[in-house]
Amino acid sequence: MSIKNLIMPHVASVISSSKLKRIKRHAHELRRRITGQTHTLDVFIKPDDPYSYLLVQVLDDLLNRFTVDIAIHTVMHLPEEAFPKREMWDMNALKDARWLAELYQLDFPANEPSAKDPTPFLHALLAAETEKQATGTVLTVFRHYWSDSKDPDSPPWKNLPDTTANQIRLQTNERLLEKLGHYYSAMIYYAGEWYRGLDRLDHLESRLITLNASREEKSQIRYNKTRNTLFSASTPRNGVKKSDNRFEEPNHSVKTPGKRVEAPELSPSTGNSLELFFSARSPYSYLGLEQAAHLARTFAVPLTIKPVLPMVMRGMAVPHAKKMYIFSDTKREAETLGIPYGKVADPLGAGVERCYALYEMAQQEGKELAYLLSYARGVNAEGIRSETESGMKIIVKRAGLNWESARPLLLKAGDPDAQWRTWAQKNLDELLELGIWGVPGFRYNDLSVWGQDRLCRIAEAIQANK
């Protein structure tokens, strides 16, 4: 094992620690006060992005409720490598945005909007950035773009020229997005941290309330409906008390990595089973696994787990900015859910192969959930190197599996014709047929969703079926 592999879990633990985050936030706030700056939200939007349309609809609400300024930055050219299976991404974004709009009572076309050239709308947004209160104009532009009509009432920007100033502004905005460390639109950057669309606004609200930047006498979090609908008792946004921690179990402590991981035996898959498409390397899959296990326990629903290869092992590129955002965002979400995360030992390559090489053995003993929980907790929260024999021994034994039986199977884990590669590819093909390109993916009856953020929809469907 290389020195890098040995130290990286400890480095990851430090850079994701709550203490370091508090220090960084304090430094940003101190700098703001010394320089006399306002709380400024840098908002990156794209005219043809459905999530951007939802985000601009709530900007005035943020201005009314918090003592903040908003700086609009319109972008258009985003890195293609950040969007594998782009057609699937775009289709899912439309469906998902329509659901979010209904949840928050926002405007969004009931059907796919008529195709429009985004260029004049882009120019209008760039021109609006110079306005003192740009949010109203920005929203008007977006409403025209996302109108169901092919030819809405002729807006004043219909024939707006493509000025040099606009081109310079666009390039400046896109360079700023890259410099600050992101790759996507519908993003808010505030004092060193990113907040994506409506799904992460509750984190921003909480932070501004903590900084006494709220205009309201009794400050409340508004943009947390995807959390509040997951379970009847939602996790408090201002921190997870130990008694409120839905995932706090005696076997979940990262202080005792050798302790037995208990999990309910999975019922045989039936018509009403919950399916989870899972990657051993994906941190969001780890959060999804913990929550899916909780759903299975709570509602006595059979859980079927279908592992797939990580994107990188399928030949797809993952930009550095995307990896870093996922790491920091997973830590933030894990803290909200009360799930340990941060001491990450990246299992890419041999670690993933060894994980999947033992999955069938765990299935045969009815311990696949215990095994994957043991593995996911090990590589995401405990710094266990799964490419090593000592690491896999801990993972296997605390899942209740026999190490002597498992050990020979690991010798062939990396073989090109290893049996697990066949079913992993079959699982991936099934996931793609659902119109989902990445993990975690979930299916319950005829409902399929992408991402652990949408488990609330699965939970509602399960409850409705009871």
Side-chain angles (χ1 to χ4, degrees):
M1 187 192 305
S2 68
I3 297 297
K4 180 181 177 181
N5 286 347
L6 281 172
I7 66 172
M8 281 310 295
H10 302 283
V11 173
S13 181
V14 170
I15 64 177
S16 65
S17 68
S18 299
K19 182 178 181 180
L20 183 58
K21 181 171 76 172
R22 287 194 300 270
I23 292 172
K24 287 182 176 180
R25 285 186 171 186
H26 179 74
H28 277 285
E29 179 61 10
L30 184 61
R31 188 180 304 117
R32 185 193 68 82
R33 292 184 180 184
I34 291 173
T35 57
Q37 295 177 345
T38 59
H39 297 283
T40 300
L41 311 182
D42 289 290
V43 181
F44 293 83
I45 54 173
K46 186 170 179 280
D48 57 354
D49 169 27
Y51 294 116
S52 289
Y53 182 31
L54 298 185
L55 183 59
V56 299
Q57 291 181 61
V58 304
L59 293 181
D60 279 340
D61 178 62
L62 294 178
L63 285 171
N64 292 333
R65 293 170 51 223
F66 299 99
T67 57
V68 297
D69 289 334
I70 288 179
I72 299 292
H73 307 283
T74 310
V75 297
M76 198 68 202
H77 309 102
L78 303 175
E80 282 298 321
E81 61 269 23
F83 303 90
K85 306 290 183 182
R86 186 60 188 258
E87 289 186 5
M88 288 186 181
W89 173 283
D90 291 341
M91 186 62 66
N92 180 79
L94 282 171
K95 293 191 297 183
D96 188 52
R98 191 170 292 118
W99 175 80
L100 275 173
E102 183 177 349
L103 182 67
Y104 284 104
Q105 296 298 292
L106 301 174
D107 178 60
F108 199 80
N111 302 305
E112 186 172 350
S114 305
K116 295 186 180 78
D117 177 10
T119 305
F121 301 90
L122 172 66
H123 296 158
L125 292 172
L126 290 166
E129 291 179 18
T130 60
E131 298 178 11
K132 188 174 182 180
Q133 295 292 336
T135 55
T137 302
V138 166
L139 180 55
T140 300
V141 175
F142 266 90
R143 286 198 191 282
H144 275 280
Y145 180 83
W146 287 93
S147 167
D148 285 321
S149 171
K150 284 188 177 180
D151 186 24
D153 296 335
S154 183
W157 57 82
K158 191 76 173 178
N159 299 308
L160 203 65
D162 181 8
T163 66
T164 301
N166 276 350
Q167 287 299 317
I168 293 174
R169 187 173 293 114
L170 177 62
Q171 292 171 9
T172 300
N173 291 343
E174 291 173 350
R175 282 197 297 265
L176 180 63
L177 178 67
E178 182 180 8
K179 178 183 177 181
L180 293 177
H182 221 280
Y183 53 92
Y184 192 48
S185 52
M187 299 298 306
I188 295 179
Y189 179 83
Y190 172 66
E193 296 177 28
W194 286 102
Y195 304 88
R196 183 175 185 269
L198 300 186
D199 284 319
R200 298 297 182 265
L201 277 185
D202 56 339
H203 289 292
L204 177 60
E205 290 176 292
S206 176
R207 187 176 178 188
L208 292 172
I209 289 171
T210 301
L211 291 171
N212 296 316
S214 175
R215 301 181 191 274
E216 299 173 318
E217 186 175 339
K218 292 184 178 180
S219 303
Q220 291 185 331
I221 305 297
R222 291 188 183 179
Y223 299 101
N224 59 355
K225 290 186 177 182
T226 56
R227 303 185 195 281
N228 287 346
T229 53
L230 181 51
F231 299 104
S232 57
S234 63
T235 304
R237 159 54 63 222
N238 59 347
V240 181
K241 298 177 182 178
K242 190 167 186 178
S243 60
D244 294 330
N245 185 343
R246 297 195 295 265
F247 303 95
E248 187 66 40
E249 300 174 1
N251 54 43
H252 204 183
S253 172
V254 298
K255 295 179 181 179
T256 54
K259 193 166 184 177
R260 178 74 172 263
V261 173
E262 302 289 349
E265 290 189 7
L266 300 181
S267 303
S269 184
T270 67
N272 291 328
S273 66
L274 167 60
E275 293 175 275
L276 161 63
F277 294 86
F278 169 91
S279 163
R281 193 196 184 209
S282 162
Y284 289 138
S285 282
Y286 165 49
L287 300 187
L289 176 66
E290 294 280 4
Q291 294 174 85
H294 181 79
L295 279 176
R297 282 192 294 267
T298 303
F299 297 112
V301 174
L303 175 61
T304 302
I305 306 170
K306 298 184 174 182
V308 302
L309 272 178
M311 287 196 302
V312 173
M313 295 177 69
R314 289 185 260 143
M316 296 182 180
V318 179
H320 178 72
K322 186 173 183 177
K323 287 189 286 188
M324 294 309 297
Y325 174 72
I326 290 174
F327 176 66
S328 61
D329 185 57
T330 302
K331 175 65 176 183
R332 184 168 56 187
E333 291 299 291
E335 286 183 341
T336 300
L337 292 164
I339 298 174
Y341 178 79
K343 194 175 182 181
V344 178
D346 188 354
L348 180 64
V352 173
E353 293 171 343
R354 290 158 72 83
C355 173
Y356 291 176
L358 300 184
Y359 186 63
E360 282 185 286
M361 171 186 166
Q363 273 187 312
Q364 291 167 3
E365 297 189 26
K367 295 177 179 177
E368 62 265 44
L369 178 55
Y371 171 62
L372 288 183
L373 285 171
S374 176
Y375 185 92
R377 292 170 183 176
V379 300
N380 285 285
E382 301 166 310
I384 295 178
R385 303 296 320 183
S386 58
E387 76 275 20
T388 67
E389 182 166 313
S390 59
M392 282 304 294
K393 186 175 183 179
I394 292 173
I395 290 168
V396 167
K397 292 184 70 174
R398 69 182 184 180
L401 298 171
N402 184 281
W403 170 243
E404 295 306 320
S405 298
R407 194 176 181 187
L409 300 176
L410 295 176
L411 299 177
K412 298 181 180 181
D415 288 358
D417 59 349
Q419 187 174 349
W420 65 263
R421 296 186 190 275
T422 302
W423 55 252
Q425 183 60 47
K426 181 181 177 182
N427 291 341
L428 177 61
D429 293 340
E430 188 176 351
L431 181 66
L432 293 173
E433 286 178 7
L434 296 176
I436 300 174
W437 64 97
V439 291
F442 302 91
R443 176 166 61 181
Y444 179 75
N445 289 347
D446 57 354
L447 174 64
S448 57
V449 298
W450 171 62
Q452 61 97 18
D453 290 327
R454 295 297 173 261
L455 263 173
C456 56
R457 298 189 64 187
I458 296 291
E460 288 178 342
I462 292 174
Q463 288 176 301
N465 197 47
K466 290 296 181 180

